[in-house]
Amino acid sequence: MERIAEERFHPITKLASIICETPIAFISILDDIQEHFLARIGFDVVVLPIEKSICGDVIEQDDVYIVSDIAKDERFSQLQAAIGKPELRFYAGAPLMTHNKVKLGVLCVLDYLPRELNQGQQLSLATLAEHAIIKLEDELIKDELNLAVVRLKTLIDNLNTAIILESEFRSIAAINEKFYELFDIRIENVIGRNVFDLFCTIKSAFKDPDAFMRKVMEYSLSEGTSQGYEIETRNERYLEFSYTPIFVDNEARGLLWIFKDITEKRESERLIEIHKAQLVMSSKMAALGEVAAGIAHEINNPLSIIQSIGYVLKHGSKDSLVRDTIVREAGDRIEQTTKRITRIIKGLLQFAREAEPEQKMNVMIRSVLDDTLSFVQERFQHHGIQLKVEDFDPTLQLHCSPTALSQILINLLSNAFDAAWPSTDKWVTIKVRDIGKVLEIEVSDSGQGIPFAIRDKIMQPFFTTKEVGKGSGLGLSISKGLAEKMGGRLFLSLETPYTSFVLELPKG
């Protein structure tokens, strides 16, 4: 009640006192705890506890309520004691009812003599009560608006986003503290100034002031909400600059200009990408570790051949014709053997390099497949698992990252190996299909399959069905991400009775 401008109600109570010819008049407002007395004339009490309320019963009436002689009315027996005026004898009150029928209080007149109000006085008291409730509602609305403005300003000032509110007349209607903090300026009397004058003032804060002003002009001439435009400041901060129109009854009545500092967000995204790259590399190294023994054997065999040939050349026949034949045959075998080693090393380098998946190119799928298989075949053969590649057109090309493709294939083949190895009929099959604009590479195995209950989880990071210490749960998740970055997808096929993963990538 203390926020209500009490002086606005004094003319009403004064007029009520004059018209009704009473020495006392006031406005009584009731809440859940107290009764408050406003614009008091001839009355000193400011507030009473609700249980001692003078007007508690009167407020329930719809018309002017009159007590001609308080001394004869039991309901008002406590009135004199409550307000410290035992000599009071007359009371009249008109309820204050809002437009939606809510009763807030009473306009009261009191006298020290028993008496009555004539019809004109009663009508005047009721009319004055109507004027009082209009003013009271106006005060309450104004108070709520002021409170809402304070709350909104507090909220806006504590946002981590700089905001300028532009009116429909292109002037600045509001600006928050974050704006001054972000641009390290303080402008006096900024409200009411042209918003473009402010933008001209702050443009020097950007590395490219002209680009900023061009974007301002573009936004001011466009309709609808803008997409965020990233712009760098001279102090190496990154801001996302955007705007959104303010509509009232489907009519644009201003703009909200927004500057959001995204420097920390960009740095977090950079660190996340670094962490992702580290996870990818860790997954690669884990996959290499699983096939390391097979790779060593693949390289050791041709090296043994070269060593044997060297012994023959050193200790061979003295006959020149025989020796020439031996040298030629040895040269052919050495060439073939070194080509085999080169293919294995090439596959390893291709797989282990830290290339970004986004670096896509047209590649022969046969070449990448052969390089990848060169260092996993020995592991499959050593464990008695048949690794079969079904025939396909060797000229087929993919538009992808060879490194990423090799990593996906290694992960799929490693999982297929683990699934097929415990089975009686051990096999893993690779199929390549041309289905228009994309190629499918399907890796199937003879394992027990993936239970229906976990099929939706197998692509989630760190989810694994392998025993502790044998799988990180990252292989399929990383492979899925690599496939999507190359414009493709990796999914579990439900069209075969076996476990089949399908890698789908765009053709070259």
Side-chain angles (χ1 to χ4, degrees):
M1 291 302 110
E2 60 273 9
R3 295 192 296 267
I4 295 177
E6 190 173 348
E7 65 275 4
R8 293 190 62 193
F9 297 90
H10 275 297
I12 294 176
T13 54
K14 186 175 182 179
L15 193 55
S17 174
I18 293 171
I19 292 174
C20 297
E21 301 175 346
T22 60
I24 300 174
F26 55 79
I27 291 174
S28 166
I29 304 295
L30 287 86
D31 59 28
D32 294 335
I33 302 173
Q34 295 174 319
E35 180 176 17
H36 305 264
F37 303 105
L38 308 178
R40 303 175 306 279
I41 292 177
F43 192 71
D44 299 327
V45 180
V46 178
V47 65
L48 281 177
I50 195 67
E51 61 271 14
K52 295 183 178 181
S53 167
I54 299 172
C55 305
D57 292 330
V58 181
I59 197 173
E60 300 300 328
Q61 308 300 317
D62 292 329
D63 301 313
V64 175
Y65 184 81
I66 298 174
V67 181
S68 301
D69 189 350
I70 292 175
K72 297 179 180 180
D73 194 315
E74 293 182 1
R75 289 173 297 176
F76 280 77
S77 60
Q78 295 180 346
L79 174 59
Q80 294 106 326
I83 61 178
K85 290 184 179 294
E87 65 274 21
L88 282 176
R89 299 292 296 276
F90 171 77
Y91 174 92
L96 303 178
M97 187 186 306
T98 66
H99 66 283
N100 54 357
K101 307 300 182 183
V102 176
K103 295 174 181 176
L104 299 180
V106 182
L107 173 60
C108 305
V109 292
L110 295 92
D111 203 343
Y112 296 105
L113 298 173
R115 53 170 298 177
E116 296 286 346
L117 293 182
N118 61 41
Q119 189 173 357
Q121 289 173 323
Q122 293 184 40
L123 180 59
S124 297
L125 189 62
T127 302
L128 288 173
E130 291 176 1
H131 283 283
I133 194 61
I134 291 172
K135 287 181 179 290
L136 186 59
E137 284 190 292
D138 184 44
E139 286 293 313
L140 293 174
I141 290 171
K142 186 189 299 183
D143 182 60
E144 285 298 320
L145 283 175
N146 289 337
L147 186 59
V149 168
V150 171
R151 287 171 176 167
L152 183 60
K153 187 177 187 307
T154 303
L155 174 63
I156 291 174
D157 283 342
N158 284 278
L159 289 175
N160 194 31
T161 301
I163 291 176
I164 302 170
L165 178 60
E166 178 188 338
S167 74
E168 57 188 311
F169 306 110
R170 299 287 188 183
S171 61
I172 299 172
I175 190 167
N176 73 341
E177 285 297 318
K178 185 63 180 181
F179 179 87
Y180 296 122
E181 177 187 330
L182 191 60
F183 292 101
D184 194 23
I185 60 172
R186 179 65 63 174
I187 303 173
E188 298 297 331
N189 302 318
V190 69
I191 304 301
R193 289 179 54 178
N194 188 287
V195 71
F196 288 102
D197 292 342
L198 180 60
F199 288 148
C200 289
T201 301
I202 66 170
K203 70 177 183 180
S204 59
F206 299 101
K207 279 193 174 180
D208 191 343
D210 293 337
F212 168 67
M213 292 306 295
R214 284 195 300 271
K215 186 58 65 172
V216 168
M217 293 302 297
E218 176 189 329
Y219 283 171
S220 63
L221 295 174
S222 62
E223 297 180 356
T225 301
S226 72
Q227 297 294 321
Y229 170 70
E230 288 191 15
I231 187 166
E232 187 178 1
T233 65
R234 292 188 184 277
N235 59 356
E236 298 182 342
R237 306 292 293 179
Y238 289 90
L239 306 182
E240 186 178 80
F241 175 44
S242 61
Y243 82 98
T244 184
I246 299 172
F247 288 97
V248 179
D249 296 330
N250 296 321
E251 180 182 358
R253 299 293 295 274
L255 291 174
L256 191 64
W257 298 92
I258 302 167
F259 296 86
K260 185 176 182 180
D261 192 337
I262 58 171
T263 308
E264 283 74 20
K265 177 186 173 185
R266 283 173 57 99
E267 178 63 15
S268 297
E269 290 173 347
R270 185 185 70 83
L271 294 176
I272 288 172
E273 289 303 316
I274 291 175
H275 187 58
K276 284 182 178 178
Q278 291 172 343
L279 285 176
V280 169
M281 202 62 193
S282 297
S283 178
K284 285 183 180 182
M285 294 303 102
L288 282 179
E290 292 180 355
V291 299
I295 295 171
H297 190 74
E298 280 286 299
I299 294 177
N300 189 56
N301 280 346
L303 286 177
S304 298
I305 293 172
I306 293 174
Q307 185 179 27
S308 299
I309 293 172
Y311 180 86
V312 171
L313 290 176
K314 185 177 180 180
H315 301 287
S317 172
K318 302 295 184 180
D319 186 288
S320 60
L321 291 176
V322 174
R323 187 172 182 81
D324 288 343
T325 301
I326 292 174
V327 168
R328 283 195 301 273
E329 291 178 352
D332 290 339
R333 292 193 66 189
I334 289 173
E335 182 179 6
Q336 294 172 4
T337 304
T338 53
K339 283 182 179 179
R340 183 180 176 189
I341 294 174
T342 300
R343 188 175 72 249
I344 295 170
I345 298 300
K346 178 185 174 185
L348 279 171
L349 291 174
Q350 180 69 41
F351 179 73
R353 69 169 51 164
E354 294 188 46
E356 291 292 330
E358 288 79 3
Q359 297 172 353
K360 295 181 287 188
M361 62 187 74
N362 289 341
V363 296
M364 301 290 290
I365 189 172
R366 180 84 257 180
S367 174
V368 177
L369 198 55
D370 287 345
D371 290 342
T372 302
L373 294 177
S374 65
F375 53 92
V376 300
Q377 284 177 323
E378 174 60 29
R379 184 186 183 208
F380 279 77
Q381 292 173 2
H382 180 72
H383 289 83
I385 301 174
Q386 181 185 9
L387 179 57
K388 179 182 178 183
V389 180
E390 294 193 357
D391 292 337
F392 64 92
D393 184 353
T395 64
L396 290 176
Q397 293 188 18
L398 283 171
H399 187 64
C400 66
S401 161
T403 304
L405 175 58
S406 179
Q407 181 172 359
I408 295 172
L409 291 174
I410 284 289
N411 283 327
L412 294 180
L413 289 170
S414 177
N415 288 343
F417 174 92
D418 291 337
W421 184 70
S423 61
T424 303
D425 184 17
K426 301 176 175 61
W427 56 262
V428 172
T429 301
I430 301 174
K431 300 177 183 177
V432 177
R433 291 188 291 267
D434 183 352
I435 55 172
K437 294 183 179 181
V438 297
L439 291 179
E440 285 187 350
I441 304 174
E442 183 180 59
V443 179
S444 305
D445 63 69
S446 59
Q448 294 182 348
I450 298 175
F452 181 81
I454 65 169
R455 287 179 181 178
D456 292 336
K457 301 178 182 178
I458 56 174
M459 297 285 186
Q460 295 177 3
F462 305 107
F463 181 83
T464 180
T465 58
K466 299 177 183 178
E467 60 188 66
V468 176
K470 195 168 184 181
S472 65
L474 290 172
L476 284 177
S477 173
I478 290 174
S479 296
K480 180 176 179 289
L482 292 174
E484 290 171 352
K485 284 187 176 182
M486 292 188 291
R489 61 185 183 128
L490 175 65
F491 59 93
L492 175 67
S493 175
L494 303 178
E495 298 179 359
T496 67
Y498 306 104
T499 301
S500 296
F501 283 94
V502 179
L503 174 62
E504 185 181 276
L505 292 172
K507 290 171 66 174

